[in-house]
């Protein structure tokens, strides 16, 4: 190479305590003088220069007459004399900043020209004098102006500058630098990764030390392979694929894992890498000062990590919350004004060429363009684990934290929104609090869990309520089907599609829970709000996912409020309403398991839906005899009896024409909150109140819990 590289900076030694501007003073002086002299910046001094001319004169150490105006010091002859004097001497830069830049340059195999440009841009980004003078070049620099300016400032041929700042040059593909399109000033047109200045300003023992500003080496996993038994097949596949990819140095290895926040996405990746003895690095969403990284910064860090870690064996990258980055994004060096096609092309190229295996994590995969999704080698949805696995996870977390597991844990584990991350957070807090007995432990756990669950809009735990749960007895229900015979058939065939319909509170949903318990099968409950999506095609996608999940887990699938999903197509106003119904009917037709659909509005269902159900069960209001039996059962569960008013209470029960099991549950909960508690008189008065105030048009969630 014939390049004439400028030997930058500081006279002889790097004295501890010198500012970066002092260390690089000579280099900055040379660059400023070339801008002023060779790029005609001197003509704009005093007009466009924000710093005082006198201060700049002192910084450049120009010979001046004490009586002259500082603005008059910037004349070509004087500037040329000072520049010749500086260029005639050789200076060596020593110090942390320079050493880190050179180390980074070697790690990325930068050319001397690329290294010189990077060093200049870093100093331009932080130097007041250099930055202000650079603005004198102009505010409407084109790409050609940029090449010309850098060639003059750094004294490097334009052809070599052009090669160094091409879009596919290492400075840009590594994520170190981005270029904004359109006319801009020099320091706004070329921008270095903002936190890079901080990273190269402190001592680093290794080139990878620069990455620690943005990249975290993953800590040891908190979970083990056995904790993911619900995903044993998927875990095994991921393990084998990752092992092969690492062994064969497979390029373009990309795995997408998605699921609700806290479900264990990060933990399963950490556990996988720990099993394989692989080094896992995680692209952070914030820097060491806990400041959030921008979209461009995170993508740039990803690129830089790929470049710097590509020579390391047995290394994996993790990129979390990608939905915040990829929609409408492009390569770091492209402006946001570029079209989406450029964005897609850039990202697709990354998925095909990245040298390290990458795990991409998303909370909501629906936000990702399908053009991206289909390019991942493996796409895995991580759903909430089953209650049994969740219970074991809570117990293990308690034992690690020195907290005594209580018998109530199995009840808590029934809440599917109690994620591994939430469990870990709760346990960490409980380990620091004093708790004397099991009762205080359950109260603390419930308080901490419900605080988060409530904020996220999820169902709350109810572990400390002392209200006995009502026993579910099928013989007390008013149904038109022999439920005992039905259970025997389901036990034998393990397949059936049931429609349960009737007024709210009559026991439809509770029957599905009873069924799952009696069949020793997990229950997967989906409400309409869980399925319906705001975008075209999302509902169909969620429906397919729900049926797939039920099949994988061998669960009883409960579709509550199914009328919202199977509304008559005759009344459809939009095409998506029709496709939604078509999708559900198709899934029902092909489903080989137990499906229970519940509705309060059978008349609104699509006509074709009736043919898809093997059995339609009507749940009605309690008949007087069964209502009376139900009343006595409730009193027994509370160990309460009658005084002298039994016959009067019985007569009042027989008069209630629209009484439901749900009314009993609602009333007992209310009475449990009063000083008097549940009594025969209080119960009958509460039931009468529920019947009196019932509004058939009011939509509310109602039902009753069951103890089996």
């Amino acid at each position: 190479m014939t390049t004439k590289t400028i030997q930058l900076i500081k006279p002889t030694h790097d004295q501890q305590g010198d500012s970066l501007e002092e260390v690089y003073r000579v280099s900055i002086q040379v660059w400023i003088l070339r801008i002023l002299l060779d790029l005609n910046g001197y003509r704009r001094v005093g007009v466009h220069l924000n710093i005082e001319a006198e201060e700049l004169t002192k910084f450049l150490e120009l010979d001046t007459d004490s009586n002259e105006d500082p603005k008059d010091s910037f004349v070509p002859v004087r500037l040329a004399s000072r520049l010749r004097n500086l260029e005639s001497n050789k200076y060596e830069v020593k110090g942390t900043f320079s050493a880190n830049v050179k180390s980074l340059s070697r790690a990325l195999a930068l050319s001397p020209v690329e290294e010189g440009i990077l060093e200049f841009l870093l100093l331009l980004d932080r130097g007041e004098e250099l930055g202000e003078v650079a603005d004198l070049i102009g505010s409407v620099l084109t790409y050609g102006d940029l090449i010309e300016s850098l060639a003059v400032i750094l004294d490097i041929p334009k052809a070599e500058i052009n090669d160094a700042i091409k879009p596919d040059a290492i400075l840009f593909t590594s994520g170190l630098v981005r270029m904004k399109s359109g006319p801009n000033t020099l320091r706004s047109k070329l921008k270095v990764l903002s936190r890079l200045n901080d990273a190269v300003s402190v001592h680093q023992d290794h080139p990878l030390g620069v990455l620690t500003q943005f990249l975290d080496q993953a800590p040891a996993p908190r979970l083990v392979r056995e904790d993911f038994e619900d995903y044993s097949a998927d875990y095994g596949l991921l393990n084998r694929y990752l092992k092969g990819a690492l062994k064969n140095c497979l390029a373009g290895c990309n795995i997408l894992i998605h699921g609700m926040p806290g479900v264990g996405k990060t933990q399963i990746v950490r556990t996988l890498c720990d099993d394989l003895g692989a080094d896992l690095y995680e692209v952070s969403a914030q820097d060491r000062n806990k400041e959030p990284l921008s979209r461009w910064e995170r993508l740039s860090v990803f690129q830089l990590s790929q470049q710097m870690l590509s020579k390391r064996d047995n290394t994996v990258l993790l990129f979390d919350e990608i939905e915040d980055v990829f929609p409408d994004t492009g390569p770091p060096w492209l402006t946001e004004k570029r079209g989406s096609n450029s964005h897609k092309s850039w990202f697709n190229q990354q998925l095909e060429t990245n040298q390290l295996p990458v795990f991409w994590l998303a909370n909501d995969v629906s936000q990702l363009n399908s053009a991206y999704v289909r390019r991942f080698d493996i796409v895995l949805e991580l759903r909430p684990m089953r209650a049994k696995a969740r219970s074991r996870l809570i117990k293990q977390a308690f034992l690690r934290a020195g907290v005594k597991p209580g018998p109530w844990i199995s009840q808590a584990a029934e809440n599917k929104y109690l994620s591994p991350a939430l469990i870990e957070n709760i346990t960490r807090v409980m380990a620091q609090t004093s708790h004397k007995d099991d009762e205080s432990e359950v109260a603390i756990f419930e308080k901490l869990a419900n605080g988060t669950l409530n904020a996220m809009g999820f169902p709350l735990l109810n572990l400390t309520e002392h209200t006995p749960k009502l026993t579910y007895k099928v013989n007390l229900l008013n149904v038109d089907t022999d439920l005992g015979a039905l259970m025997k058939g389901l036990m034998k065939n393990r397949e059936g599609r049931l429609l349960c319909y009737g007024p709210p509170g009559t026991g439809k949903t509770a029957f599905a829970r009873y069924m799952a318990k009696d069949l020793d099968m997990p229950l997967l409950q989906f409400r309409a709000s869980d399925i319906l999506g705001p975008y075209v095609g999302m509902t169909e996608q969620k429906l397919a996912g729900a049926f797939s999940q039920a099949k994988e887990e061998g669960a009883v699938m409960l579709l509550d409020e199914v009328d919202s999903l199977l509304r008559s197509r005759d009344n459809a106003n939009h095409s998506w309403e029709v496709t939604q119904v078509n999708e559900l009917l198709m899934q029902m037709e092909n489903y080989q398991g137990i499906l229970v659909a519940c509705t309060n509005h059978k008349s609104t269902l699509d006509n074709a839906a009736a043919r898809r159900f093997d059995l339609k069960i009507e749940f009605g209001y309690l008949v007087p005899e069964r209502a009376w039996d139900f009343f006595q059962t409730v009193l027994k569960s509370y160990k309460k009896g009658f005084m002298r008013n039994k016959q009067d209470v019985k007569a009042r029960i027989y008069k209630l024409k629209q009484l439901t099991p749900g009314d009993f549950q609602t009333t007992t909960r209310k009475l449990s909150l009063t000083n008097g508690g549940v009594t025969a008189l209080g119960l009958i008065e509460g039931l009468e109140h529920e019947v009196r105030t019932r509004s058939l048009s009011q939509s509310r969630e109602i039902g009753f819990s069951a103890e089996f």
Side-chain angles (χ1 to χ4, degrees):
M1 181 181 295
T2 60
T3 302
K4 177 184 175 182
T5 58
I6 182 172
Q7 297 211 1
L8 307 178
I9 294 7
K10 186 174 184 203
T12 317
H13 298 94
D14 176 36
Q15 298 177 356
Q16 189 174 4
D18 283 346
S19 68
L20 189 61
E21 287 73 17
E22 286 299 316
V23 172
Y24 277 87
R25 187 179 185 89
V26 173
S27 293
I28 296 174
Q29 287 177 335
V30 169
W31 293 333
I32 289 177
L33 286 166
R34 289 172 177 169
I35 293 172
L36 293 173
L37 183 64
D38 300 328
L39 295 176
N40 295 318
Y42 73 93
R43 299 179 183 275
R44 301 180 181 91
V45 173
V47 180
H48 299 284
L49 190 64
N50 291 330
I51 62 174
E52 294 291 335
E54 184 176 2
E55 294 179 6
L56 184 58
T57 300
K58 292 179 179 179
F59 180 81
L60 294 175
E61 301 175 83
L62 295 174
D63 295 328
T64 61
D65 188 330
S66 59
N67 295 320
E68 75 177 334
D69 189 324
K71 297 178 185 178
D72 297 333
S73 302
F74 300 96
V75 294
V77 62
R78 190 171 291 172
L79 297 174
S81 175
R82 179 58 178 152
L83 180 59
R84 285 195 302 271
N85 179 265
L86 291 172
E87 291 180 331
S88 64
N89 296 289
K90 298 292 185 179
Y91 297 94
E92 181 183 6
V93 177
K94 294 181 180 179
T96 298
F97 187 93
S98 176
N100 285 335
V101 171
K102 293 183 183 308
S103 179
L104 182 61
S105 177
R106 288 193 297 270
L108 295 173
L110 299 181
S111 69
V113 173
E114 291 164 334
E115 180 183 329
I117 292 174
L118 176 63
E119 193 165 34
F120 169 75
L121 293 177
L122 285 167
L123 292 168
L124 179 67
D125 189 57
R126 63 187 298 162
E128 180 182 0
E129 293 87 357
L130 181 59
E132 295 293 348
V133 174
D135 287 347
L136 297 178
I137 300 174
S139 59
V140 290
L141 297 183
T142 64
Y143 184 77
D145 296 331
L146 177 65
I147 295 175
E148 175 71 29
S149 299
L150 289 176
V152 170
I153 296 169
L154 301 179
D155 195 22
I156 296 173
K158 288 191 290 185
E160 296 183 28
I161 294 290
N162 185 56
D163 289 341
I165 63 172
K166 288 180 177 179
D168 59 351
I170 188 67
L171 284 176
F172 301 107
T173 59
S174 66
L176 288 174
V177 181
R178 67 166 174 163
M179 183 186 301
K180 295 184 69 175
S181 64
N184 294 280
T185 63
L186 177 59
R187 57 176 172 173
S188 64
K189 194 171 186 64
L190 286 178
K191 297 293 291 185
V192 292
L193 183 58
S194 61
R195 273 68 167 190
L196 187 62
N197 251 312
D198 297 331
V200 297
S201 296
V202 295
H203 177 73
Q204 307 289 355
D205 294 324
H206 191 277
L208 291 179
V210 173
L211 288 177
T212 60
Q213 182 72 17
F214 321 96
L215 201 68
D216 298 316
Q217 186 160 14
R222 298 192 296 264
L223 304 180
V224 296
R225 181 169 185 166
E226 289 70 27
D227 292 319
F228 298 98
E229 64 175 4
D230 289 359
Y231 299 93
S232 56
D234 293 314
Y235 190 99
L237 175 63
L238 290 173
N239 185 285
R240 294 190 300 273
Y241 180 62
L242 184 59
K243 182 179 181 180
L246 290 170
K247 179 181 179 180
N248 300 311
C249 299
L250 181 67
C253 174
N254 296 279
I255 300 167
L256 173 63
I257 300 179
H258 63 100
M260 58 181 283
V263 76
K265 302 185 293 294
T266 300
Q267 286 300 314
I268 196 173
V269 177
R270 291 176 180 174
T271 302
L272 277 165
C273 292
D274 188 66
D275 282 352
L276 296 174
D279 294 326
L280 176 65
Y281 291 88
E282 301 174 358
V283 178
S284 179
Q286 58 188 18
D287 63 15
R288 288 294 170 268
N289 297 320
K290 307 301 180 182
E291 293 291 330
L293 298 175
S294 69
R295 168 188 297 184
W296 169 74
E297 287 171 325
R298 294 191 70 199
L299 289 174
S300 296
V301 169
F302 168 74
Q303 290 293 93
L304 183 59
S305 303
Q306 284 282 349
Q307 293 286 342
M308 297 192 67
L309 298 174
S310 61
K311 305 300 182 184
R312 292 173 58 91
D313 295 330
N314 226 31
T315 301
V316 181
L317 277 180
L318 182 150
F319 200 119
D320 199 0
E321 298 181 355
I322 64 172
E323 62 268 50
D324 296 336
V325 175
F326 288 146
D328 302 321
T329 63
W333 57 90
L334 289 178
T335 178
E336 289 78 4
K337 296 181 180 180
R338 288 291 193 88
S340 59
N341 289 335
S342 298
H343 301 163
K344 293 178 182 179
S345 176
W346 176 83
F347 180 60
N348 292 338
Q349 184 182 15
Q350 307 315 303
L351 293 181
E352 295 170 357
T353 60
N354 57 282
Q355 296 302 303
L356 298 176
V358 183
F359 283 92
W360 307 85
L361 308 186
N363 296 326
D364 186 2
V365 74
S366 66
Q367 296 185 28
L368 300 181
N369 192 296
S370 58
Y372 302 157
V373 175
R374 66 173 178 260
R375 292 180 178 268
F376 290 101
D377 304 323
I378 298 175
V379 179
L380 170 64
E381 181 181 6
L382 209 62
R383 304 185 183 98
M385 58 183 60
R386 286 179 283 190
K388 182 179 179 182
R390 195 177 300 110
S391 179
R392 185 182 66 252
L393 189 63
I394 298 173
K395 292 177 182 178
Q396 291 174 344
F398 272 34
L399 293 172
R400 288 196 302 270
V403 181
K404 177 185 175 183
W408 49 269
I409 286 178
S410 59
Q411 182 184 351
E414 295 293 332
N415 191 317
K416 69 177 182 179
Y417 299 102
L418 205 60
S419 66
L422 179 54
I423 292 169
E424 195 68 28
N425 291 338
I426 294 171
T427 307
R428 184 166 59 249
V429 175
M430 292 184 67
Q432 305 303 318
T433 61
S434 60
H435 33 84
K436 301 178 181 179
D437 50 40
D438 180 67
E439 185 175 354
S440 63
E441 288 170 358
V442 65
I444 295 171
F445 187 94
E446 180 178 285
K447 181 177 181 62
L448 293 172
N450 284 347
T452 301
L453 293 172
N454 183 60
M456 299 177 71
F458 295 147
L460 305 183
L461 298 180
N462 189 23
L463 307 176
T464 56
E465 184 180 307
H466 299 293
T467 305
K469 292 184 177 180
L470 305 187
T471 302
Y472 191 90
K473 294 184 177 182
V474 295
N475 63 307
L476 297 182
L477 299 177
N478 182 16
V479 295
D480 60 354
T481 301
D482 186 343
L483 298 183
L486 173 62
M487 291 303 300
K488 291 180 181 179
L490 293 173
M491 183 74 72
K492 178 182 179 180
N493 299 316
R494 298 282 167 163
E495 185 175 341
R497 292 164 293 192
L498 313 178
L499 175 65
C500 300
Y501 66 97
T506 50
K508 304 181 294 294
T509 301
F511 176 65
R513 300 192 186 104
Y514 166 82
M515 179 191 304
K517 185 71 175 180
D518 202 53
L519 296 174
D520 193 24
M521 297 171 65
L523 177 71
L524 279 180
Q525 181 175 356
F526 300 94
R527 296 179 175 85
S529 57
D530 299 323
I531 300 294
L532 293 171
Y535 307 112
V536 175
M538 187 180 295
T539 298
E540 292 88 326
Q541 185 180 10
K542 289 187 175 183
L543 277 170
F547 276 92
S548 175
Q549 182 183 357
K551 180 182 178 181
E552 291 174 7
E553 298 186 11
V556 173
M557 182 176 179
L558 170 60
L559 279 180
D560 221 347
E561 307 164 355
V562 74
D563 48 281
S564 298
L565 302 170
L566 278 179
R567 217 173 283 278
S568 176
R569 288 169 290 184
D570 296 336
N571 300 321
N573 296 317
H574 306 282
S575 59
W576 54 265
E577 295 176 288
V578 176
T579 58
Q580 172 184 299
V581 174
N582 291 341
E583 177 67 24
L584 179 51
L585 293 177
M586 184 192 70
Q587 292 290 345
M588 290 172 56
E589 186 75 28
N590 298 327
Y591 186 60
Q592 298 178 347
I594 297 176
L595 168 68
V596 182
C598 298
T599 179
N600 303 329
H601 309 288
K602 178 175 175 287
S603 61
T604 65
L605 297 183
D606 190 270
N607 292 329
R611 300 194 301 271
R612 301 303 199 281
F613 292 105
D614 305 315
L615 189 64
K616 293 170 280 296
I617 309 171
E618 182 177 8
F619 286 70
Y621 295 110
L622 294 173
V623 299
E625 294 82 3
R626 292 176 179 175
W628 175 239
D629 290 340
F630 209 113
F631 190 96
Q632 297 179 91
T633 300
V634 172
L635 288 183
K636 287 180 182 179
S637 66
Y638 282 89
K639 299 180 180 179
K640 299 287 185 177
F642 296 90
M643 299 295 288
R644 287 176 289 187
N645 57 349
K646 182 176 181 179
Q647 293 303 317
D648 177 61
V649 171
K650 182 178 181 180
R652 292 165 69 175
I653 284 287
Y654 271 61
K655 292 180 180 179
L656 298 178
K657 302 302 183 183
Q658 294 185 339
L659 196 61
T660 71
D663 294 329
F664 282 90
Q665 182 69 23
T666 301
T667 302
T668 54
R669 287 175 63 90
K670 290 179 180 179
L671 294 174
S672 297
L673 300 176
T674 66
N675 293 330
V678 177
T679 63
L681 183 60
L683 184 57
I684 182 60
E685 289 178 348
L687 293 173
E688 289 171 339
H689 175 77
E690 288 298 314
V691 172
R692 251 191 337 264
T693 59
R694 174 175 294 115
S695 173
L696 296 177
S697 62
Q698 182 180 1
S699 178
R700 62 187 179 98
E701 183 179 345
I702 189 168
F704 66 101
S705 303
E707 183 178 277
F708 307 99

